[in-house]
Each structure stands twice: as C-alpha cells, then as structure tokens.
Amino acid sequence: MPPAPLHERLRQLASTLERQFLGKDEIIRLLMISVVAGEHCVLLGPPGTAKSALIRSLSELMQANYFEYLLTRFTEPNEIFGPVDIVAFREGTYRRNTAGMLPEAEVVFLDEVFKANSAILNALLTLLNERKFTSGGKVMRCPLISVFAASNEVPGDETLNAIFDRFLLRVHSDNLDAYHFNELLQRGIQHEIRQMSGDPLRPVVTARELADLGKSFGGRMNFSDAFLSAYKGIVFQIRAEGISLSDRRVVKMLKLFAASAYLDGRSTTDASDFFVLKHIWNNQDQAAILEGIVQPVLEAFFREHPDRRRVGALGVGVDALAAEIDRIRQLLTGGTALGDVQLFSQLKALGEIKTALAGITDPRARELEKRVAQLLEASFRSGRFAQI
C-alpha cells in the first residue's frame, strides 16, 4: 500500500506533537510551516516551557539528522562546527571534522542563541541564509532544513539584529494557563515514562522528503491578485504602526503562506494563512499591535468559512473545560477552607476559562460561560461561597 500524501503525513506529525504537548497547537503549526518552507524560527519565553523537548520530538518524527547545543559567550566554534582535523592539519591542510556537527545536521536547535560570541554568530549568518559552510578554504553545502533557536528574551544589542533577522518567525512560548494544569501533569507523566523507557517516536516523514519538497516548492509560489492586494494592505498597516518589516522579509513571508496552504492540502493561499503575520514582531510589545491588525482579517474569513477555524482554547475542548469548571466548583464548595493564595488561584483559573470559552463557537460554550459567571458572582458575594 503506497504511503499517504506528504501533506497528510505532515498533518499526522503535527497531531502527534499536539497530543504530546498540551496547549502548543499554534506553535506546532508554525514549526511545521517553518520546515515545509525551509525557514528558521526562534522561540522566546521562560525556561521549562517545552521548547527543546518540542524540537527534539519534531526531529524524531522527521527522522532528521539532529544537532542541539546550549550556547554561551565562551562557546568555541569547534563545539558547533566540529574540531580541527588533526591528521589533515599535520599534512598542511586546515579543515574541520564536521561529522555529527551543525554543518551536517538537517534540524538544529540552538538554545540561548543570542549569547553566542561574534565568531559563531558570523559563521551562522551565512549558514542560515545560504546553507553553506566554509572549512579550510572549501565551501560545503549543508543539508539544513530549519534552525530553531530559543532565548529567554529578545536581543537588545543592535549587533544582534542581523542574526535575529534570519529567524523569520518569532514565537512566544509561555507557561500554560491554570485550567490546563491537571492535563499537563497527565501528559507530562506519559512523556517522562517514554523518556525513561527509551522508546523512540515512530517517524512519520523523512527529512529527505522535505528536502525534495523544498526543491520543487517554487511551483507553489503562485498567488492571486486579490491575495497579494490584501497582503499589501496588511504590510502597509504594519509599517504605519512603526513595526519594521524589510522588503526581504516581506518577500520571504510568501513562502510561509504557501507552506501553510500546503499543510492544509490547498493549492492556493487564502486569508487564513495571514495568521503567521502575528509572529513577525521585533519586540514582544509589538505582538499586541500585530494581533490587532491581523485578527480582524482572520475573523472576517472564519465567519465566512467557520469549518476552517483551526484552534480554540489552546486546543482544549469544551468537555475538558467543563470538567475543570466542575473541579473548581467542588473545591470552592467543599468543606475545606481555602487560603488566600489558593482562593486567588481558583478565581484566576475561572477568569482564564471565561476568556477561553469566548473564543469557542460551540453552543455548549455559552452555557459554560453562564456557569463560570455564576461561580464568580457567588464567590465575590460570599467569602464562604454559601450561595454557589
């Protein structure tokens, strides 16, 4: 039996990651777009938000040659690009032994990338942009598909602008909201068990297939006049808000739109693909501005095509939210007195659930919104929740 089409298996890969990593649906979608388009992505956020685990799992499911490293200002080039070949050096030839190192990797994860020194950053610029690495006067072609980087913060040093610009997508990865907590623990336990047992993930696609797709991807770079006109309007709006968006990045974004359409099995792009524009900020203060520009365009499209709406409540369904409401209600109405911190935590969770429900079109969400409102009203009216 022949394998399913590549775009279907890529969706299967994304579904596998979504089951493993709770609340990361949109991030996973952006990672998939990156590998299809052959572009790079940086994940920004606090430690412990599954950034490295997510990229490792993606690499396993792609059966890709993988390289990962935590960079510091003291990291030396030979730790990344390979040590000098001593045998060749004794014979008068300078070259690096790149086996198993970044120049021969297909998927790369660089943690704390902006802490690297200038020697590493300068070499990375050419490698990221041109897929080339110079060793001993010889230029080698690199099989690189995508580099994923992580950082706790956006670089503030202007000297880092060049390397930051190479990461077309900038994605914020944060801790999950309170109403995800129980399911987070369950999935975390499953992940830890798999890690301890050493069971690898079963590959769904191969990196070779993605490389071949990249070579023929130019055939998918066809856009209607209506799409380009809408894109032009959004770009001018973004620039009018003072957000820097170079012509180079404007053109490269077209690859991401085409990749988004490919993942959906579409031959042409549409307004739903503009969601990637929410993730092109240069500092995190700009994220809200981009949201305000792009989200109305998306909502107008989804009103006409409700079946195309992708993600609601960070991938948590109505049933899961209903169960969490019941759990909070039992806690608030139980016989055990809650401390101030515990009480605040539960009220905060109810607020987050209320926000999540507002973004769900399922009619059941309206009934759940009423239940949340009743809980909040009763809790504010009585410290002992006597009227809940």
Side-chain angles (χ1 to χ4, degrees):
M1 184 176 178
L6 180 58
H7 72 272
E8 291 184 9
R9 286 182 285 130
L10 286 169
R11 285 208 300 269
Q12 180 186 343
L13 190 159
S15 296
T16 301
L17 291 175
E18 288 164 6
R19 289 193 298 272
Q20 185 177 347
F21 296 97
L22 179 65
K24 304 293 183 184
D25 292 18
E26 186 158 343
I27 294 177
I28 290 167
R29 173 83 180 185
L30 292 164
L31 299 183
M32 299 303 301
I33 288 173
S34 296
V35 297
V36 169
E39 289 295 337
H40 314 301
C41 174
V42 60
L43 304 173
L44 293 112
T49 52
K51 296 187 290 291
S52 58
L54 187 53
I55 305 304
R56 286 190 208 110
S57 295
L58 171 65
S59 177
E60 279 189 62
L61 291 165
M62 286 173 52
Q63 205 171 7
N65 291 328
Y66 179 65
F67 180 81
E68 175 182 328
Y69 210 82
L70 172 63
L71 298 172
T72 72
R73 60 180 176 150
F74 302 110
T75 303
E76 298 182 358
N78 61 7
E79 299 174 58
I80 303 295
F81 305 112
V84 174
D85 188 328
I86 300 299
V87 175
F89 186 73
R90 286 172 178 166
E91 296 174 355
T93 302
Y94 178 88
R95 65 169 179 250
R96 293 186 181 276
N97 183 359
T98 58
M101 307 302 285
L102 191 152
E104 297 191 14
E106 294 163 320
V107 173
V108 173
F109 178 66
L110 298 176
D111 202 0
E112 295 298 345
V113 65
F114 302 122
K115 292 183 179 177
N117 55 56
S118 58
I120 289 176
L121 291 176
N122 290 337
L124 279 176
L125 283 174
T126 302
L127 199 149
L128 266 62
N129 203 41
E130 302 177 26
R131 267 64 171 185
K132 293 178 181 178
F133 178 71
T134 302
S135 176
K138 293 185 178 180
V139 178
M140 64 179 288
R141 298 288 301 180
C142 301
L144 183 66
I145 295 173
S146 292
V147 171
F148 299 100
S151 177
N152 293 336
E153 56 188 4
V154 176
D157 190 337
E158 289 187 1
T159 61
L160 296 171
N161 286 348
I163 190 70
F164 189 44
D165 195 58
R166 292 301 186 272
F167 295 96
L168 201 55
L169 287 172
R170 292 85 187 263
V171 185
H172 186 69
S173 179
D174 208 344
N175 292 307
L176 292 177
D177 295 317
Y179 61 81
H180 290 89
F181 191 72
N182 285 356
E183 192 171 355
L184 168 67
L185 295 182
Q186 293 302 316
R187 295 198 194 185
I189 290 169
Q190 294 170 10
H191 179 70
E192 290 299 320
I193 291 173
R194 187 179 70 80
Q195 291 289 98
M196 289 186 290
S197 66
D199 292 337
L201 293 170
R202 181 176 298 178
V204 180
V205 302
T206 66
R208 170 54 55 190
E209 289 179 291
L210 285 168
D212 291 341
L213 174 65
K215 293 175 183 176
S216 62
F217 204 69
R220 298 186 173 275
M221 299 287 285
N222 298 309
F223 307 93
S224 69
D225 290 342
F227 180 86
L228 292 177
S229 177
Y231 181 38
K232 175 182 176 181
I234 295 174
V235 169
F236 282 13
Q237 239 186 310
I238 290 172
R239 287 173 170 173
E241 290 290 341
I243 299 175
S244 175
L245 185 57
S246 68
D247 289 345
R248 184 183 74 85
R249 294 187 75 207
V250 165
V251 173
K252 276 188 167 288
M253 291 302 300
L254 294 172
K255 290 176 67 179
L256 301 185
F257 300 146
S260 177
Y262 176 79
L263 287 170
D264 285 346
R266 290 180 278 117
S267 59
T268 57
T269 54
D270 59 38
S272 71
D273 301 313
F274 287 139
F275 91 97
V276 298
L277 293 172
K278 294 193 292 183
H279 302 279
I280 59 170
W281 39 265
N282 303 308
N283 61 67
Q284 288 177 285
D285 292 339
Q286 296 174 350
I289 299 173
L290 290 170
E291 179 86 16
I293 294 171
V294 177
Q295 196 60 36
V297 178
L298 298 178
E299 290 301 327
F301 178 83
F302 291 139
R303 280 195 295 272
E304 296 181 10
H305 307 86
D307 58 311
R308 294 285 303 283
R309 189 180 291 273
R310 290 194 187 94
V311 182
L314 295 175
V316 176
V318 173
D319 293 337
L321 291 172
E324 186 65 9
I325 293 170
D326 288 340
R327 185 192 67 79
I328 294 173
R329 182 181 183 281
Q330 290 172 9
L331 189 63
L332 295 179
T333 57
T336 304
L338 298 178
D340 290 344
V341 173
Q342 291 174 303
L343 177 59
F344 176 78
S345 175
Q346 301 310 314
L347 294 179
K348 180 174 182 291
L350 285 173
E352 291 169 350
I353 292 172
K354 183 178 179 181
T355 301
L357 289 169
I360 299 179
T361 57
D362 190 320
R364 293 178 296 168
R366 307 291 77 80
E367 180 59 34
L368 291 179
E369 284 181 310
K370 294 178 183 178
R371 290 170 59 186
V372 170
Q374 290 170 355
L375 278 171
L376 288 171
E377 182 183 357
S379 64
F380 289 131
R381 192 167 57 240
S382 171
R384 294 183 175 276
F385 309 102
Q387 301 180 50
I388 292 179

